[in-house]
Amino acid sequence: MGHSLIDHAVDILNKNDQRTYTVPTHGLYPFQWNWDSCLVALGQSYFDEARAWTEIETLFASQWDDGLVPHIIFHKDDPGYFPGPDVWQTGQPIPTSGITQPPVAGFAVRRLYDRAKDKAQAAKQARALLPKIDAWHDWFFRCRDPEGTGLVALIHPWESGRDNSVDWDDAFDRVPTEGVEPFERRDLMHADASHRPTQAQYERYIYLVQLFRDLGWDNTKLHNASPFQIVDPGFNGILIRSCADLADLADALGEPEIAARNRAWAKAGSAAMEALWSDAYGQYLCYDRKAGRPVDNPSVAGLIAAFAPIPQKRADRIGTRIKNMGEDVKYLVPSQPADTATFDGKRYWRGPAWLIVNYMISDGLAHAGQHDVAERIVNDSLSLIEASGFAEYYDPITGEGCGGKAFSWTAAMVIEFLTRSKELV
């Protein structure tokens, strides 16, 4: 079974390969996406190390002067996608969006370096990326944590990667729709409308894009100007993990200043995460910085936080929490608990399971000694592939594949699961 799945996964990555970057899937997502590329590189590294490094190098070639690494790079025209560069108008040499995505690059580059067969070449390429990833981390704490809390805020739901999570519902009530320019959605040409964000949500997404565009994409202003400011424990957990991993890599490559800076960010972030913990739910919760209160919703964001180096007692509670959730679904890990009124097993990020999320949670829990939970997550992930192929995401109750098909990061995670299973479980 394993070899045939890996062969199929490699075939998907090759078919979605645009030579220097990989599209998530043809049609629905025709450009380079930030965290997609970093995670895809992990899968590529098993069959083509040089190609894996190129994936991440291409992403960072579009880094802004202020340190931002945008969430989409528009390498070529595609009028079938909305919102395209004509909407973003960021003025970059290579057209990009103006917001970011979960910063998995520090983690990914360390993992590429650790598993490289040609260590000298890997050291050369990792050393070139170190200051770029460091600059991106610095950008986060300068531009998204202006009060120095140790945690950064999202200013647009798309930055989270969890586009229309239940976590955003109350905050989105503050985002108006007046003045939103008319637009035609193109995502509905490639996916079932009942699985995608609603029109009202999309209008608010575009309102925020227009607001930031009108401010000239000045990242010293956008945080405070946004009516949407959410501290996401999953996003911050990824950032903390990447800071910690970049620090270790910088030490190995003889860059002590980068190591010290990133280790300090990781330490401060880990301490600040405690304020997001909910004993009632046994997991972390999002925090609405604009409203000054926690978001009372136990989404998968609070479980992704286990990807970071969190206290053992927190990892143990999260392991128990996921075990309990597993009684309500056939396949872990749902993005919204099945016992909540807002659960929708097929709608984007309001219930479905995602292999990238499963990968990060299982990786963190395995490191924390929660091997039985990590093993179930890995096994459920592979069962989803057997049941429904390499889909973008899956109904955690029925196992039905939803969203895009022949999906790159799903293929990459399958390769990771099958080749790293002994480490993960």
Side-chain angles (χ1 to χ4, degrees):
M1 178 193 77
H3 288 303
S4 62
L5 280 184
I6 288 178
D7 290 344
H8 193 175
V10 170
D11 184 54
I12 288 171
L13 292 181
N14 286 334
K15 285 180 178 177
N16 289 338
D17 192 343
Q18 307 297 295
R19 300 203 331 181
T20 59
Y21 67 95
T22 305
V23 297
T25 188
H26 291 286
L28 186 59
Y29 301 109
F31 307 111
Q32 183 178 23
W33 263 258
N34 186 322
W35 71 326
D36 293 68
S37 270
C38 293
L39 294 168
V40 161
L42 296 176
Q44 291 171 330
S45 70
Y46 285 103
F47 61 92
D48 191 340
E49 284 186 16
R51 181 63 188 81
W53 287 105
T54 297
E55 188 75 23
I56 298 179
E57 289 163 351
T58 302
L59 174 66
F60 277 86
S62 294
Q63 185 170 27
W64 289 20
D65 289 343
D66 67 358
L68 166 73
V69 183
H71 94 296
I72 307 174
I73 294 74
F74 301 104
H75 289 290
K76 59 185 180 182
D77 292 334
D78 192 317
Y81 181 81
F82 177 85
D86 58 321
V87 176
W88 292 95
Q89 298 178 24
T90 56
Q92 296 298 305
I94 300 173
T96 74
S97 66
I99 57 176
T100 194
Q101 258 188 339
V104 292
F107 156 76
V109 168
R110 181 193 174 180
R111 188 146 281 180
L112 291 187
Y113 175 79
D114 286 347
R115 68 171 54 143
K117 296 182 178 67
D118 186 344
K119 270 291 190 285
Q121 181 62 26
K124 179 181 177 181
Q125 291 177 279
R127 192 172 281 111
L129 286 165
L130 272 179
K132 297 178 181 181
I133 302 173
D134 175 57
W136 188 22
H137 292 174
D138 179 67
W139 174 87
F140 274 112
F141 293 106
R142 281 189 293 108
C143 298
R144 297 303 181 79
D145 184 22
E147 300 298 321
T149 67
L151 299 174
V152 305
L154 310 170
I155 62 171
H156 194 296
W158 287 342
E159 293 193 312
S160 68
R162 301 184 302 112
D163 295 17
N164 66 322
S165 168
V166 176
D167 288 331
W168 323 138
D169 288 358
D170 288 346
F172 243 27
D173 287 343
R174 290 194 300 269
V175 179
T177 58
E178 293 80 9
V180 172
E181 298 162 1
F183 62 87
E184 181 182 354
R185 293 175 61 177
R186 305 300 175 89
D187 59 318
L188 302 184
M189 297 169 61
H190 303 283
D192 188 328
S194 68
H195 298 174
R196 299 291 296 172
T198 65
Q199 182 68 15
Q201 287 168 323
Y202 236 88
E203 289 172 359
R204 287 169 168 81
Y205 298 150
I206 301 305
Y207 174 90
L208 291 173
V209 171
Q210 292 178 195
L211 171 65
F212 304 151
R213 187 184 67 197
D214 291 345
L215 291 169
W217 297 108
D218 183 344
N219 277 302
T220 65
K221 299 177 180 177
L222 301 190
H223 174 278
N224 290 344
S226 180
F228 182 93
Q229 298 172 15
I230 301 290
V231 179
D232 178 328
F235 190 100
N236 277 275
I238 292 168
L239 177 57
I240 291 165
R241 172 69 179 270
S242 282
C243 285
D245 281 354
L246 197 72
D248 289 345
L249 181 58
D251 274 337
L253 296 176
E255 297 288 348
E257 291 184 6
I258 291 177
R261 189 159 49 244
N262 280 271
R263 194 159 283 119
W265 286 326
K267 182 178 179 181
S270 293
M273 282 277 284
E274 283 299 290
L276 305 181
W277 181 259
S278 167
D279 266 329
Y281 287 115
Q283 66 168 83
Y284 298 93
L285 298 179
C286 289
Y287 181 82
D288 187 331
R289 188 173 277 175
K290 197 78 173 176
R293 61 174 180 263
V295 176
D296 187 23
N297 180 59
S299 78
V300 76
L303 309 177
I304 297 172
F307 187 54
I310 60 174
Q312 186 66 47
K313 63 181 179 179
R314 303 305 188 209
D316 292 345
R317 285 290 304 277
I318 287 175
T320 300
R321 169 84 176 136
I322 292 173
K323 283 182 186 177
N324 292 338
M325 293 173 71
E327 296 176 4
D328 297 322
V329 296
K330 184 175 181 180
Y331 304 98
L332 290 172
V333 178
S335 47
Q336 179 71 15
D339 63 357
T340 59
T342 48
F343 171 83
D344 184 336
K346 293 181 175 58
R347 191 178 287 276
Y348 211 57
W349 291 106
R350 300 177 80 88
W354 301 68
L355 260 64
I356 52 155
V357 168
N358 285 3
Y359 173 72
M360 289 186 284
I361 294 174
S362 61
D363 182 277
L365 290 180
H367 279 100
Q370 293 284 322
H371 297 291
D372 56 338
V373 188
E375 184 172 11
R376 168 152 182 204
I377 294 171
V378 171
N379 290 338
D380 284 3
S381 299
L382 296 175
S383 294
L384 283 167
I385 301 298
E386 291 284 358
S388 299
F390 293 77
E392 183 178 2
Y393 55 91
Y394 304 85
D395 185 315
I397 294 176
T398 68
E400 178 186 344
C402 304
K405 308 303 180 187
F407 217 81
S408 293
W409 69 12
T410 303
M413 295 302 94
V414 168
I415 296 172
E416 281 284 291
F417 284 136
L418 290 172
T419 53
R420 294 192 68 248
S421 58
K422 291 182 180 178
E423 295 174 59
L424 287 167
V425 301

